[in-house]
Amino acid sequence: LGRVITYLYLRGVGASRAQSEFDSLKCAAKLGVRVPHPLAIVRTRGLLFYRNWLVLEYLAGAQNFVTLINTA
């Protein structure tokens, strides 16, 4: 049951995490921060729960933050 709950969200409880991140990335890009541009949000909806995925632009040569910190 724990695995199911980790990717299902209750409908009707505020903005989705993917929508919040999509908006944050758009704002960061407008401010000149080099971030992957959000391309789309894919949503699947059920009766009580939903899932969503954030589709991002691929940045060639980019490193994730954890790798960057560990090599510094």
Side-chain angles (χ1 to χ4, degrees):
L1 185 59
R3 280 198 167 283
V4 173
I5 293 173
T6 61
Y7 63 84
L8 291 175
Y9 300 94
L10 190 60
R11 288 183 64 178
V13 183
S16 70
R17 180 176 176 181
Q19 182 66 53
S20 296
E21 187 152 347
F22 185 92
D23 296 340
S24 296
L25 287 169
K26 292 286 254 186
C27 182
K30 284 182 184 177
L31 293 172
V33 179
R34 188 168 184 250
V35 294
H37 292 262
L39 302 174
I41 297 173
V42 179
R43 292 186 178 127
T44 59
R45 296 180 183 175
L47 187 59
L48 293 175
F49 298 98
Y50 69 93
R51 294 186 211 178
N52 44 209
W53 296 267
L54 183 60
V55 181
L56 303 172
E57 170 191 39
Y58 176 75
L59 293 177
Q63 294 181 340
N64 68 40
F65 189 64
V66 173
T67 303
L68 190 61
I69 290 175
N70 288 334
T71 58

